[in-house]
Amino acid sequence: MAANGASCEPPQKRAAAKDKQNGKSTDSSLRERRQKDKEERLSLLLWRRPVTTLHYFLLETLIKLKEWTLKLWQRRGIVCFFLVLCSLFSILYSTEGAHQEYVQHLENKLLWCAYWVGLGILSSVGLGTGLHTFLLYLGPHIASVTLAAYECGSIDFPEPPYPDQIVCPQDEAMESGISLFSIMSKVRLEACMWGAGTAIGELPPYFMARAARQSGADPDDEDYEEFEEMLEQAEGAQDFVTRAKLGVQHMVQKVGFFGILACASIPNPLFDLAGITCGHFMVPFWTFFGATLIGKAIIKMHIQKLFVIITFSKHIVEQMVSLIGSVPKVGPALQKPFSQYLEAQRNKLHHAGGSIPADENWLAWVFEKVVLVMVCYFVISIVNSMAQSYAKRLQQQRHTEEKTK
């Protein structure tokens, strides 16, 4: 009877069940194909397939240059206006007169701000693969100013050579005049510019996700695909990282401006997800960028700046050097080069153009090599990423041709 009942099911139900089963198998095969394509792209690495990776990188670079050229041509009015402004500034720059003093001051400030904004963009662009410019540039700069302020008893360093080189002023000031807030004010401009750069670096994933949501197209981005998969599998998420990402996504989606501000105001490695989330759920641009700018350039930047200044204040540094010397057996051997390096830095602050002896400069040599290694890794990651983007273009083109056959 059960068999007869099953055989007597209406044709519509059997067809619906068959379509549902076919849909599941299609989704499964599509997911397998995407996973296979992803593994194929991720194998494109400079140290595994150098010739193919460099070839794809060059082709992707040419495509990007063509796209950017077309976008500039579409906005030729803005480009012409910018070129006119540059021409006017060039005329003012080359014409002699009393205004040259102000032009020179403006030029120095603009270049100084652009330098730190650029470093901030490099730090946050690339969805986690950016160059860690706070550790490499801004942090050491704040630490140098802090050490110099306590040594000189003043923050009124002669300009020039500051900020290229820190030299104590001729009029010695009392160390008691140095406060935490005075040092913070000395490095406020570069710190805020760096923070603004990190906020600007968060815009590409926002625009990418927003454009994908508006057009319904499949964007050429691995992180956005992972974001959509995470939303589909939200109910079954078990691991801590996925639950943390979902927590960021829910906060940004439900709380809005203040949720974005909270995520941007603390050191948060998952904030890359906030830009994708805001773009995907069509959060207004100024809501996202305003909260990100305030959080990163003002709140978070002051927290990081305060931490570095306290860490490198005079008594803390002296305690750290003493602590190194208290390590059994190797302590005195490690303490000596640190003490010599700090003493050489103090002497350099009181003598413009002074140099550190070669045998005492190994710490600076090690730091330079660390910076070089991190910059090389950043460049290699860009090459790999662009080569993988071109590989995805080829895969999409191949799948399109298969559908049309």
Side-chain angles (χ1 to χ4, degrees):
M1 293 294 292
N4 293 334
S7 62
C8 294
E9 285 184 356
Q12 293 85 353
K13 288 188 177 181
R14 290 200 300 271
K18 187 175 181 181
D19 290 341
K20 187 176 181 181
Q21 186 176 1
N22 291 337
K24 287 184 178 179
S25 62
T26 302
D27 291 341
S28 177
S29 61
L30 182 62
R31 192 177 295 108
E32 289 177 359
R33 191 195 72 186
R34 285 184 175 180
Q35 183 64 28
K36 184 178 178 181
D37 289 345
K38 183 178 180 180
E39 291 175 357
E40 182 182 344
R41 290 196 303 273
L42 293 178
S43 67
L44 269 175
L45 298 171
L46 203 56
W47 52 87
R48 288 185 181 176
R49 301 163 61 186
V51 177
T52 306
T53 302
L54 287 174
H55 181 221
Y56 283 9
F57 165 73
L58 292 175
L59 292 175
E60 182 68 14
T61 302
L62 293 175
I63 292 174
K64 290 294 184 183
L65 288 174
K66 181 180 177 182
E67 291 176 353
W68 293 341
T69 303
L70 290 175
K71 288 180 180 179
L72 289 175
W73 177 251
Q74 292 171 356
R75 296 167 175 80
R76 51 189 176 272
I78 298 175
V79 174
C80 290
F81 178 73
F82 180 75
L83 291 175
V84 170
L85 285 179
C86 291
S87 301
L88 291 175
F89 187 78
S90 178
I91 293 171
L92 288 173
Y93 186 79
S94 58
T95 305
E96 296 293 336
H99 65 282
Q100 280 297 323
E101 179 182 354
Y102 302 101
V103 171
Q104 192 68 33
H105 178 75
L106 180 62
E107 179 191 16
N108 292 336
K109 286 295 182 183
L110 287 176
L111 290 177
W112 184 242
C113 292
Y115 172 75
W116 290 110
V117 169
L119 288 178
I121 293 173
L122 288 176
S123 181
S124 62
V125 76
L127 291 167
T129 61
L131 187 65
H132 300 290
T133 51
F134 181 85
L135 295 177
L136 298 179
Y137 296 99
L138 183 59
H141 173 71
I142 297 173
S144 299
V145 172
T146 303
L147 293 172
Y150 282 105
E151 176 62 26
C152 302
S154 172
I155 59 170
D156 298 324
F157 310 125
E159 299 184 27
Y162 183 83
D164 298 324
Q165 182 184 1
I166 302 177
V167 179
C168 289
Q170 296 297 325
D171 298 330
E172 296 290 339
M174 296 296 294
E175 186 178 318
S176 58
I178 296 299
S179 67
L180 188 66
F181 297 104
S182 62
I183 301 175
M184 290 178 68
S185 65
K186 185 67 176 178
V187 295
R188 181 175 292 124
L189 176 63
E190 44 266 52
C192 289
M193 289 298 104
W194 184 88
T198 61
I200 295 172
E202 301 292 350
L203 292 179
Y206 169 83
F207 285 123
M208 175 269 301
R210 186 181 178 90
R213 185 67 183 272
Q214 288 177 334
S215 63
D218 183 23
D220 185 16
D221 189 86
E222 301 290 344
D223 294 271
Y224 187 73
E225 290 180 357
E226 292 180 3
F227 171 75
E228 288 191 322
E229 291 177 4
M230 184 189 70
L231 292 181
E232 292 174 0
Q233 303 170 1
E235 295 181 359
Q238 298 294 332
D239 59 294
F240 174 77
V241 176
T242 303
R243 282 187 279 120
K245 289 181 178 180
L246 287 170
V248 172
Q249 181 254 323
H250 288 314
M251 178 180 289
V252 169
Q253 182 185 358
K254 294 181 178 180
V255 184
F257 179 90
F258 293 101
I260 303 168
L261 182 65
C263 292
S265 300
I266 57 175
N268 183 6
L270 300 177
F271 187 77
D272 292 333
L273 189 66
I276 297 177
T277 302
C278 291
H280 181 80
F281 292 104
M282 304 297 290
V283 174
F285 170 77
W286 286 112
T287 301
F288 168 71
F289 185 65
T292 305
L293 185 65
I294 295 172
K296 285 184 172 289
I298 299 177
I299 302 175
K300 179 184 173 183
M301 200 60 258
H302 277 78
I303 295 173
Q304 292 177 298
K305 185 168 56 173
L306 187 65
F307 174 79
V308 175
I309 293 173
I310 292 175
T311 303
F312 287 89
S313 59
K314 186 175 181 179
H315 63 284
I316 297 292
V317 171
E318 291 175 350
Q319 289 178 4
M320 285 193 294
V321 173
S322 300
L323 188 63
I324 292 173
S326 64
V327 178
K329 296 182 180 180
V330 297
L334 290 174
Q335 186 186 38
K336 183 178 179 182
F338 277 96
S339 300
Q340 290 176 339
Y341 180 75
L342 290 173
E343 185 62 30
Q345 292 298 315
R346 292 191 187 100
N347 293 334
K348 191 176 179 180
L349 290 171
H350 295 284
H351 302 283
S355 60
I356 305 173
D359 59 343
E360 298 176 2
N361 203 26
W362 69 271
L363 286 175
W365 182 86
V366 170
F367 181 74
E368 288 175 1
K369 296 304 176 283
V370 170
V371 171
L372 181 62
V373 169
M374 295 188 72
V375 170
C376 290
Y377 172 76
F378 179 64
V379 173
I380 290 172
S381 67
I382 291 176
V383 174
N384 291 336
S385 177
M386 292 186 68
Q388 291 166 8
S389 296
Y390 185 77
K392 186 168 186 177
R393 291 179 189 272
L394 295 180
Q395 290 171 349
Q396 290 174 339
Q397 183 179 357
R398 185 174 69 245
H399 295 324
T400 303
E401 291 175 355
E402 290 175 356
K403 289 179 181 179
T404 55
K405 287 182 181 180

